[in-house]
Amino acid sequence: MWLEKTIKQHTALCGYIAATLYLLINNTVNALSVWTEHNRDGASTTQLWEPFVWEYTSALSLLVLIPMLVALFQRYPIKTTPPLKQVMVHIASSLVFSLCHVLLMVGLRHLAYTWMQGHYDFGEYHQEFWYEYRKDLLSYLFIFFIFHSAKWVLESSSDYEQQEMPLNQPPTQFLVKKHGEEHLIKVSEIEWYEASGNYVNLHSKGRIYPLRETLNSLSNRLATAHVTRVHRRFAVNEHKIKSVRFASSGDGIITLESGAEVNLSRRYKSDFKLALETPKT
């Protein structure tokens, strides 16, 4: 379907548009609610534009910071980052996120009030910050939940599509996601494969693309596609090998056409040599 295809091709953009629409609607409702509450007894000095400035500056500041949070969540994936490190990273980053949000929001409010010939008073920063942090922490956790939920859904969909491929035929390309975008990577252009937990980093044309699969499973699927396991963490494209040198220990170093070097374990040396000598059908 057109909508499903568009979302898959522009995941990050679609997510950002959805977040923008949500904040616009939510903060508009909040602004009207605040205005109504301030004027319930008819004696408020708050003008109509003020609640909208309060809410929209908060929303705009949040939208500016969302890409940074997404980059952080990608940098420290749940499955490959130790739990304690995860906790420490997110505690520190939530504080930085809240501080940036408050500074941006207050700065925009001062500009808006100056333009409207008014005066904005945020209050005592050291007191108000902790009040704002409680709200920002909820926003942080909500974005964290939405990001990983969306990632799980997209990865599950990708896994299902890969399972639909004929098992007796190796794949000729992979559809991988990186920074919210999808990339079509040809197997013939991948130089080497690096295990990273439940992911495999595909090294192609000087770039790295994470694929959600184990190296053991992937190397088995690509056994007839000139891809050979050379280490418990590495596999190489036989067509991209430039040279191989061995040490007295029996281990070796494989130099690829790009100049990259990959360790060859003596455990895999015999299979590696046999693979090079055996023509693929």
Side-chain angles (χ1 to χ4, degrees), residues 74-142:
Q74 292 174 332
R75 176 68 178 81
Y76 296 98
I78 292 178
K79 295 181 179 179
T80 58
T81 305
L84 180 59
K85 186 175 181 180
Q86 280 273 343
V87 172
M88 298 303 294
V89 165
H90 291 300
I91 289 176
S93 57
S94 67
L95 287 167
V96 174
F97 163 72
S98 182
L99 179 62
C100 293
H101 182 234
V102 169
L103 291 176
L104 281 171
M105 178 180 69
V106 173
L108 290 172
R109 289 178 183 179
H110 278 298
L111 288 175
Y113 271 75
T114 300
W115 185 55
M116 296 297 293
Q117 298 182 342
H119 173 71
Y120 177 70
D121 181 18
F122 181 66
E124 295 292 334
Y125 277 83
H126 65 280
Q127 294 179 352
E128 295 297 331
F129 172 75
W130 296 110
Y131 170 76
E132 294 293 335
Y133 177 69
R134 288 182 297 173
K135 297 189 295 181
D136 287 340
L137 180 59
L138 292 177
S139 298
Y140 184 96
L141 294 174
F142 178 73

Side-chain angles (χ1 to χ4, degrees), residues 1-94:
M1 294 185 295
W2 174 84
L3 181 58
E4 181 180 0
K5 183 178 179 181
T6 300
I7 293 175
K8 285 187 175 182
Q9 290 179 341
H10 307 283
T11 305
L13 179 60
C14 291
Y16 200 74
I17 291 174
T20 301
L21 291 175
Y22 169 78
L23 288 172
L24 178 63
I25 296 172
N26 180 72
N27 288 39
T28 298
V29 173
N30 287 344
L32 292 173
S33 298
V34 170
W35 165 252
T36 301
E37 186 66 27
H38 277 241
N39 288 271
R40 189 177 299 275
D41 57 5
S44 175
T45 59
T46 302
Q47 301 184 56
L48 178 60
W49 57 269
E50 291 185 271
F52 285 91
V53 167
W54 303 337
E55 294 295 331
Y56 286 174
T57 53
S58 176
L60 182 58
S61 301
L62 185 59
L63 288 172
V64 170
L65 295 171
I66 284 178
M68 301 177 191
L69 290 184
V70 171
L72 175 76
F73 298 155
Q74 292 174 332
R75 176 68 178 81
Y76 296 98
I78 292 178
K79 295 181 179 179
T80 58
T81 305
L84 180 59
K85 186 175 181 180
Q86 280 273 343
V87 172
M88 298 303 294
V89 165
H90 291 300
I91 289 176
S93 57
S94 67

Side-chain angles (χ1 to χ4, degrees), residues 261-274:
E261 294 185 340
V262 178
N263 291 335
L264 169 61
S265 171
R266 60 179 177 273
R267 172 186 170 188
Y268 294 91
K269 185 168 68 172
S270 297
D271 291 340
F272 171 68
K273 288 183 175 181
L274 181 62

Side-chain angles (χ1 to χ4, degrees), residues 197-218:
N198 291 327
Y199 286 78
V200 175
N201 290 326
L202 312 179
H203 294 257
S204 175
K205 297 182 178 180
R207 301 196 175 193
I208 302 174
Y209 302 92
L211 177 69
R212 189 171 181 269
E213 188 168 352
T214 63
L215 181 60
N216 187 54
S217 171
L218 186 60

